[in-house]
Every structure is written in C-alpha cells, then in structure tokens.
Amino acid sequence: RYADYQYIFNQVIAGKIPVQPEIEVHITHYLMLHTLNELHFEEAQALLEACYKRLETYLAADRDLQASLLEESTMLFARWCEYVEEQGEKQQARTLREHTVTLYRQSKELLSIHEQCSPLKSSLLRKRLGRSLNGLGFQLYRAGQYEEALQAMQDSINLKERGYVQFGGLAAAYGDKSQTLAGLGRFQEALLFDEKALAEVQHLAQAGHALSQEEVWIYYVNRGQLYLRLGQVDEAEHLLQEALPHIHPRRRMYRMFAKDALDEIERWRQSVTSAQHQLDWRWVERYRELDAFDAYWWWAQAGPFSDEEKRRWDQLYTPGLDEVTKEQLGALIAQSRQREIMAAVHEGRQPRLWYPALDIDEVRRRIAGMLQLDAQISQQEPNAIVRRLYHEAIEEEINFIRMIEATYSGDSESFRKLNQLVDPAPTPEEMEHAFSRLRRILLQGLLNPGKVELTQRVITLLCEQLHLSLDLSYDEQEAQQIRHTGPVSPAHPQRTITPQAAKRFFETILCESGYTQWQVIIDPKASGPRVDSALRHLYLPDDQIAIERIRHYLAHELAGHVARSIAGERSLLGLLGIGTKGYLPTEEGFAYLQERQAMAVYGQTFDDTGTWLGTLATGLASGVVTPPQTFLPLFTFFESLHLLFRLLERLDSDVQTAQQKARTTALSRCLRTYRGVPDLERAGVCFCKDAVYLRGFRLIERLAAQDETILDRLAVGKVAVEYLPEMQELGLAPPAQPLRKLAYDPNLESYILAFEVGEEHSHRHA
C-alpha cells in the first residue's frame, strides 16, 4: 500500500493528477505513517514540511486544512517523543513533548472556534476536537501535568459520549483518563475507568473490529501498570507478560510501558528479602534507618557534673552506645539532674540543665540524609500517594530533628517556631477543657473538710503566680454530684510486679502475637511506658508496676501503639509502621479510646487525667491564656496540684508518701514540658508534645461517635486520621488484632502474676 501511495504522490507532485489540498494531506498522512513505523522521523518531518510549503497559499483561508496539518504534526512529534524517551534521551524527549503539547493546544483552539456551519460539518469538527483533546490530555499526562490533563480528557469524553467519536475512540479516552487518575493517586476512580475502557474495547473486538482486536493488548498494559501502583504485583506481572508479545509495532510506546513495569517488578524482587510487596519498597528501610534514633536520649537533661561524674562520663561515653552503657550514663544524668533541681528549688532560681548525650554530628547526618531521601522520592517515586505521604512525613521529621539541633545551638526562637510546626501549643478552647477538669479537682478539695487548706494554697498559686482566676462557685446539685464521686483509683492496695516480670510478660505476648522483632527495654530514665516504632522498642520504667497499670499498658501501649505500628510494617505501605505526618494525635486518641473500652469491660472507670494534664502544663508554659510560665513556678504549682490530687484520690498510705510522690510527679511533668528547651530563663518556650493527648482523644472520641468503625479503620497502621481517604484509595484493609482481644481477657490478671515468679513463658496458660 505504501508503494501505491508513493506512486500516487509522485503523480500529484508532477502535476499529472490534480487533487484537492485535503486529498494531498491524506496521501502525505499514509506516507508519514510508513516512515514513522520504520522510525525514520526526519524523513516524515521532511514530508510534512514539504506539504506545508506546497499548500501555504491555501492555509490562511481554510481552517479545516490548518487543522488537518496540525493533526499530522501532533502525530509526528508524539511518536518521535516517545521513541526518543525509549532510547533514554530524557531531555530531548521533554523538549519534543513540550512542542507536541503546544501543537495540540493550537489544534484545540482552532477546532473550538464556533461559527455557523452545517450539522454534518459541525459533527465532524466536534469529532476532531474530541480526538485532539484526548491527545492533548495524554501528552499532559505523560508530562506529569495531571490536573490539566484530566480536564482535557474529561472534555474529550463529554464529546465522545455524545456521539462525536470515531470508532474505538471512547475506549482510548477512558483508558487515558484511568491512567491520569492513577497519576493523581485517585486509584479507585482509576479502576472504574480502566474497567470501562477494557469493556469498551473488548466489545468492539468481539464485534469484529480489527483495530480493536489489536488494541486490546494496550489496555492490558494499562491495567498492569495500575495494578502495580496498587501493589497487586502478581496480577500486574501476568497481564504485562501476556500483553507484551502482542503489542503492534506502531504501539511500541506501550511495549516500553510494559517493559518498564516488568523491570520495576524485577528490581523489587532483587532488592528485598521479603516476599511481601510494599508500595514504598524503595524507601522504607532507608527512612526507617534515618528515623531510628532515640531523641529522648539526646534530650536527657543533666545538671552540672561533678568532677567525678565528668570523669566517669568521659570514660564511658562513645557514639553508638550499647544499652548497658547507656543505662550507666543515664544514671549519671539522673543523679546530676536531681541534685541541680533540688538546689534550684531551694535557692528559688531556674535549674541549669544541659544535654551531654546530644550527638550533633549524628543529628546533622540525619537531617542531610532525610533531605537527600526526600529529593530522590520526589523525582523517582511513581505513586502519587506514596510520594506525598513520604514528603510530608519527612518534612515533619526534619522539623523535629532541627529542634534538637536548636537545642544544641541554644536557639530558643528556632526551637519555639519548629515546635509549633510539629506539635502546636494548645488552643484556648483546649485550655478551657483542661481548666474545667482542674476546676472539678479544686471543688472536690473545697468540699472536703480536710483538704480545704491545701486547696486554697493551689488556688492562691493560680491567682498570684499564674494570674488565672477560675469560677469556683457551685450550686447544691453540683456539690452533691462531686461529694458522691469516689476516687477513680481503687482504694485497696494494688498488687504490683517487678519491672523484670513486666518485661517478661510483654516479651511473651509480643512473641505469641507474632511480633518477634520487638524488644522490651527497662529505662531507668522513664517515668512511664514509651513506644519507639522506628527502633521497634517498648520502654518500661524501672519501678514496681501495678497490675492495673499493666492492663493499661496492654490496652494503650501494645494494643494501641505497638499493634498499629506492626500492622503498618506488614501492610502494603511500610511507612505506616513508622508513622505518617501528624499521626501522633490520632495515635494517642486511638490508644486512649481503646484503653477506655478495655476498662469498661472490667467495669472500671476511665481516668482521663492523663489526657488533659499535658495540655494544662504546655498551655501554661506557652502562655496560651495566661502569662507564660518558666520551669520553677510551673513545678511549684504542679507539686501542690499533684499533692491535692493524690490525697483526694487516696493514692498513698500517708501524707509524707503523697508529698514525696507529688514532688516526683511534678518534676517529671516539668522535665517533659521543658524537654530540649535551650534556655530555661526564657518564658514562653516549651516542648508542646504533651498537648496531643487531649487533642487526639477528643478527636477520636468525636469521630467514633459518628462512625463506630473508626478504630478498625485506624488499625491499619500509624496513620493520621486525615489520611484515611488515602488508605481507602490504596485499598488497605485493617488486620486481625490479637493484642486487643487479650486486653479484654477476664483471666489476664492471673496470667500477668505468673511472670512475677521468674518463669519464662513461651506459651500462654490456658
């Protein structure tokens, strides 16, 4: 056929066969097709340029002719662009694609001109416009301009669905829209349009349309690419391998797409040891390594060292400490800190604290590593959702590590600004909630004859030191309610176990639940349990632990934090094992709500004190609704408040013990609130992380009231509630939750106590 067209073309050029300009363009089109199929792009370009020159005198007055030649130009440069990209010449491909987009825009403008014409001509123009819009959308999609591409494709579909379509054109529009939606991370919509595209082309193929019978394979490639982006590797590989031998040479671009996708699957298989595919397999372990640091060790507050302490520190300290040495150094830190704070309280001054364990070289290495990783992900990650989740998580983590850097450099203002980005200070509304809880404690004290003097002392501190006046008026009904409210904590002595027994218990249930990579570590610096997902560590305080607290740790720390972390590690998106941006309020709200539900099973009252005390402390330190407080006045206030609380709750056997524990608790609260702060003399600078407990609890409590499935949906991993739509787009489903089931077990107490005798359990008692 090419030879026939070449013969006719030669006769036209020689003037032996007179033809209309549109016929000459038609002949040139078939000659160009042959040269393009042979990959002779310069020859095709020469044919087109010669045609332009011969028809130059007709162009100004003939819009149809202009549009026809533009269509030939877009065909040429689109094919050329894809070939150059296939050869690895990315810069040249980018230039050619930009030129192709320009030509498609010109074609769109030309065909969009509305004027009076016959119904037949109007229909033909709309068909051509629909085809041109589809081509423009596809090139914009290939250039990564997804939003504009989607609009062009939708405009094309609108025309084609109204009947302005060439045979088979609707399938192409659906298929290209599916791929563009996938580029935007709208995978569920992409699946719908992929189904429509394949159904359309298969219908035409079954009806005997020869071109559709050839084209069906490129829709297999489209589906294979889509499945790969959703982590369905086996299905994707099967489709791609089936399609590859059948792709027509003129569709070599799709052969490139198929090969690239299969190469990606092969690189994944060669790069990882697990058979489980994760969407972020390229990045997750690098990010985990960069994120696996103990910030609270770097932020361990010490007082001025004595000569002997300094000598001992210099003797023991090296980067990359083992846990035994870290515990020894931690004891030095705690000893010097306690001495300095007691001296500061006695002398009425701010304590002089510093951070001897802060390894600034390691801090800056991690910042540089994260910046480099973020740049690579933004350039190389093909999944839009994965790309965005990592960028936002890394951005937040860099801000957090820069806070540690600000601690080292003594830059209080940078510390404050960065903290506001990572964990904003409480809002006035959140402070009002905390004040309402504080008011109730004060009313309990005022209505308890033996606690009035201590309560008045707390009120005086509020008024004179914090410049805060609460409305403590009440009516008889409220007074009766408060008088009949018993202590949240049980009045009888609580059974306790040693931290070593607690460690054995938690190690056993983690192992039995299949969480063998996690370690339980006793931390003498810790005042409570703590989970580090990146390190896969559960930290326990080095104190006797009440059985009741073990229950809480199981429901909150393990069934909440650890289970979400492990679910995330094993999910399609490994980042969920470490944490998305802003996951912490959701994480704490999830854990507190689980704890409340577990306590309800045992008929116990949930104590929400832990949710609002951190908000109160950070709000007072930040100066949200009161003058900002520094360390010493905040410590003085909380020491009195905790003493009042402990006496009202009857937590201790005598006042002296209550005083000692109130001081310890207040000190722990203030050390948390001012953790990392470079200069304790400066008011208004604190570490606001403890505001997330109330913020998260109220958030998840509100959402759970609206949607009872929210806890199950959040169990997919360490994900902020804002990202649940992205989890749905990726098709992530929550896993089984054995630790939650254990938290509700009525025989749990006897099982815990069995570990106190030193038995190492490998299997749970029946």
Side-chain angles (χ1 to χ4, degrees):
R1 189 165 59 172
Y2 169 72
D4 292 339
Y5 272 105
Q6 184 68 60
Y7 175 78
I8 296 170
F9 181 73
N10 291 337
Q11 297 300 308
V12 170
I13 296 303
K16 296 179 180 179
I17 303 178
V19 295
Q20 294 296 319
E22 290 81 2
I23 300 300
E24 184 172 340
V25 174
H26 178 78
I27 296 168
T28 302
H29 169 79
Y30 277 100
L31 295 176
M32 287 177 62
L33 268 183
H34 176 78
T35 56
L36 290 174
N37 288 338
E38 295 294 320
L39 306 179
H40 298 157
F41 298 101
E42 290 84 357
E43 184 179 340
Q45 185 179 22
L47 282 167
L48 181 59
E49 289 174 350
C51 187
Y52 260 104
K53 188 172 183 179
R54 285 192 302 276
L55 302 177
E56 189 173 4
T57 56
Y58 300 97
L59 287 174
D62 192 335
R63 185 157 56 89
D64 284 350
L65 185 60
Q66 294 175 45
S68 295
L69 287 169
L70 273 173
E71 287 168 348
E72 300 307 314
S73 297
T74 55
M75 178 184 71
L76 165 64
F77 285 100
R79 295 275 291 271
W80 201 346
C81 168
E82 300 297 345
Y83 172 76
V84 169
E85 183 173 340
E86 186 181 4
Q87 304 309 304
E89 300 290 339
K90 293 189 177 181
Q91 183 55 50
Q92 186 182 358
R94 191 176 300 114
T95 302
L96 287 168
R97 177 160 286 116
E98 289 170 358
H99 184 59
T100 307
V101 168
T102 300
L103 292 171
Y104 269 119
R105 291 191 198 282
Q106 292 173 4
S107 177
K108 172 191 169 185
E109 291 302 315
L110 198 60
L111 293 167
S112 298
I113 297 173
H114 298 289
E115 61 183 29
Q116 293 296 328
C117 56
S118 68
L120 178 59
K121 185 172 183 180
S122 175
S123 177
L124 291 172
L125 283 173
R126 284 183 170 89
K127 283 184 179 181
R128 294 170 74 178
L129 177 59
R131 187 171 67 242
S132 180
L133 285 166
N134 202 149
L136 173 61
F138 181 80
Q139 293 302 323
L140 289 168
Y141 153 71
R142 295 285 287 129
Q145 300 176 46
Y146 300 122
E147 294 288 355
E148 189 179 356
L150 189 61
Q151 184 59 59
M153 289 173 182
Q154 188 56 56
D155 290 343
S156 173
I157 288 173
N158 291 342
L159 286 168
K160 291 178 177 182
E161 288 184 337
R162 288 162 53 198
Y164 303 114
V165 59
Q166 292 178 322
F167 212 64
L170 194 53
Y174 288 152
D176 291 344
K177 182 175 180 180
S178 171
Q179 294 298 301
T180 304
L181 287 165
L184 287 165
R186 292 162 59 177
F187 292 109
Q188 299 309 308
E189 279 185 86
L191 288 168
L192 291 175
F193 276 92
D194 175 75
E195 185 60 40
K196 292 177 73 170
L198 192 55
E200 176 75 12
V201 76
Q202 286 176 334
H203 171 71
L204 296 176
Q206 290 165 6
H209 185 229
L211 184 59
S212 294
Q213 291 168 353
E214 292 178 355
E215 292 284 274
V216 70
W217 301 106
I218 72 170
Y219 294 91
Y220 279 26
V221 173
N222 278 350
R223 179 166 290 186
Q225 292 182 105
L226 180 54
Y227 281 3
L228 181 56
R229 294 288 76 83
L230 286 167
Q232 299 175 33
V233 177
D234 293 337
E235 298 93 327
E237 188 173 35
H238 174 74
L239 285 166
L240 295 165
Q241 288 176 341
E242 185 181 3
L244 193 55
H246 302 287
I247 299 171
H248 194 280
R250 70 171 175 276
R251 290 298 214 168
R252 60 183 300 118
M253 172 176 59
Y254 284 87
R255 194 177 299 169
M256 177 180 73
F257 293 162
K259 287 181 178 178
D260 287 347
L262 288 168
D263 287 346
E264 180 181 329
I265 294 171
E266 184 58 29
R267 287 195 303 274
W268 160 66
R269 289 207 169 102
Q270 292 177 356
S271 300
V272 298
T273 55
S274 171
Q276 179 193 5
H277 182 269
Q278 290 187 310
L279 297 173
D280 52 347
W281 60 271
R282 301 168 181 82
W283 323 112
V284 63
E285 290 307 321
R286 284 178 59 192
Y287 182 54
R288 185 184 301 281
E289 187 278 326
L290 288 168
D291 195 50
F293 56 87
D294 187 351
Y296 296 156
W297 168 246
W298 287 339
W299 267 342
Q301 299 132 307
F305 280 168
S306 66
D307 290 343
E308 175 56 26
E309 287 167 343
K310 186 177 185 311
R311 184 194 67 77
R312 184 66 174 154
W313 181 274
D314 292 341
Q315 181 183 41
L316 292 174
Y317 181 80
T318 57
L321 294 167
D322 58 53
E323 289 301 324
V324 173
T325 307
K326 188 181 283 190
E327 285 186 17
Q328 293 174 331
L329 293 174
L332 285 177
I333 287 174
Q335 174 181 296
S336 65
R337 179 178 62 228
Q338 185 71 14
R339 183 177 63 242
E340 168 59 16
I341 289 176
M342 291 304 99
V345 171
H346 178 71
E347 297 167 16
R349 59 171 174 82
Q350 300 299 332
R352 294 185 290 267
L353 302 179
W354 67 303
Y355 303 90
L358 203 163
D359 184 349
I360 190 59
D361 292 335
E362 182 61 15
V363 168
R364 288 170 176 162
R365 182 189 76 81
R366 291 179 186 272
I367 292 173
M370 287 202 175
L371 288 170
Q372 182 184 47
L373 179 61
D374 186 35
Q376 287 181 308
I377 292 173
S378 68
Q379 294 168 8
Q380 300 172 25
E381 172 52 51
N383 186 306
I385 291 179
V386 174
R387 192 166 58 243
R388 181 163 62 86
L389 290 177
Y390 264 92
H391 171 70
E392 293 174 1
I394 290 173
E395 182 179 52
E396 182 178 66
E397 196 62 15
I398 288 173
N399 286 335
F400 177 69
I401 304 176
R402 288 199 187 280
M403 286 175 64
I404 302 172
E405 185 181 39
T407 300
Y408 177 83
S409 59
D411 189 344
S412 295
E413 184 58 21
S414 290
F415 184 94
R416 185 188 66 80
K417 289 179 178 177
L418 290 163
N419 195 185
Q420 279 296 102
L421 293 173
V422 176
D423 294 307
T427 64
E429 194 271 337
E430 288 169 340
M431 289 299 290
E432 285 301 319
H433 181 90
F435 290 153
S436 72
R437 295 297 193 269
L438 174 61
R439 174 182 176 274
R440 188 171 182 83
I441 291 175
L442 295 177
L443 288 179
Q444 283 182 271
L446 291 174
L447 292 169
N448 188 316
K451 310 297 185 300
V452 174
E453 183 180 349
L454 175 57
T455 305
Q456 289 292 355
R457 188 194 317 165
V458 176
I459 294 171
T460 300
L461 287 172
L462 273 175
C463 296
E464 297 180 359
Q465 184 172 290
L466 305 182
H467 303 281
L468 177 65
S469 178
L470 297 179
D471 179 8
L472 296 175
S473 61
Y474 56 88
D475 56 26
E476 187 55 32
Q477 182 180 1
E478 185 179 16
Q480 288 298 326
Q481 288 177 346
I482 292 173
R483 289 191 185 101
H484 287 89
T485 302
V488 173
S489 304
H492 56 80
Q494 297 185 54
R495 299 192 68 173
T496 64
I497 61 173
T498 63
Q500 290 74 23
K503 180 177 187 291
R504 288 193 294 272
F505 166 70
F506 287 122
E507 284 174 339
T508 298
I509 63 173
L510 284 168
C511 182
E512 289 177 346
S513 299
Y515 306 155
T516 55
Q517 291 182 302
W518 277 72
Q519 296 180 49
V520 181
I521 295 170
I522 297 172
D523 182 1
K525 306 183 300 301
S527 58
R530 177 166 61 88
V531 171
D532 190 313
S533 299
L535 292 171
R536 299 188 181 100
H537 287 174
L538 168 66
Y539 294 93
L540 297 176
D542 191 11
D543 294 306
Q544 289 285 123
I545 305 176
I547 297 297
E548 202 55 50
R549 297 311 304 166
I550 297 291
R551 286 187 192 275
H552 293 183
Y553 293 175
L554 174 57
H556 187 108
E557 304 296 341
L558 274 76
H561 299 316
V562 174
R564 283 227 306 167
S565 177
I566 293 169
E569 281 186 48
R570 297 177 176 180
S571 77
L572 195 60
L573 183 63
L575 176 64
L576 300 184
I578 304 169
T580 66
K581 175 185 177 180
Y583 81 91
L584 195 55
T586 301
E587 181 85 357
E588 295 299 342
F590 176 91
Y592 270 118
L593 200 58
Q594 284 222 135
E595 181 182 339
R596 187 174 73 179
Q597 290 180 350
M599 293 186 69
V601 170
Y602 296 105
Q604 297 172 344
T605 303
F606 174 67
D607 180 8
D608 70 348
T609 309
T611 68
W612 62 266
L613 272 179
T615 296
L616 180 65
T618 54
L620 293 174
S622 300
V624 175
V625 293
T626 64
Q629 301 298 305
T630 52
F631 189 104
L632 185 61
L634 195 70
F635 169 74
T636 304
F637 167 71
F638 269 103
E639 185 177 20
S640 296
L641 177 62
H642 279 298
L643 177 58
L644 174 61
F645 180 77
R646 297 189 73 85
L647 293 176
L648 288 171
E649 289 290 310
R650 299 197 291 274
L651 297 176
D652 307 295
S653 57
D654 57 79
V655 173
Q656 185 176 1
T657 301
Q659 289 173 331
Q660 181 183 358
K661 291 188 175 180
R663 167 160 287 202
T664 300
T665 306
L667 177 57
S668 174
R669 170 61 59 193
C670 289
L671 288 171
R672 289 169 64 102
T673 303
Y674 295 96
R675 179 181 280 141
V677 172
D679 180 7
L680 292 179
E681 296 287 344
R682 177 172 170 175
V685 182
C686 74
F687 182 50
C688 291
K689 178 190 169 185
D690 283 351
V692 305
Y693 301 106
L694 176 63
R695 185 172 299 149
F697 181 57
R698 297 179 74 198
L699 169 68
I700 303 304
E701 184 180 43
R702 184 176 69 251
L703 292 175
Q706 300 167 0
D707 176 9
E708 60 184 15
T709 70
I710 191 70
L711 288 184
D712 288 332
R713 293 167 60 204
L714 287 171
V716 71
K718 299 174 82 68
V719 57
V721 71
E722 304 93 283
Y723 292 121
L724 283 180
E726 282 78 0
M727 302 302 101
Q728 186 175 355
E729 286 291 348
L730 295 173
L732 300 186
Q737 300 174 63
L739 289 172
R740 184 194 290 187
K741 182 179 178 181
L742 178 62
Y744 299 158
D745 190 326
N747 299 317
L748 183 59
E749 181 170 345
S750 60
Y751 180 47
I752 295 170
L753 287 171
F755 289 85
E756 182 62 280
V757 297
E759 298 177 10
E760 302 247 355
H761 291 231
S762 58
H763 296 286
R764 179 140 190 259
H765 289 178

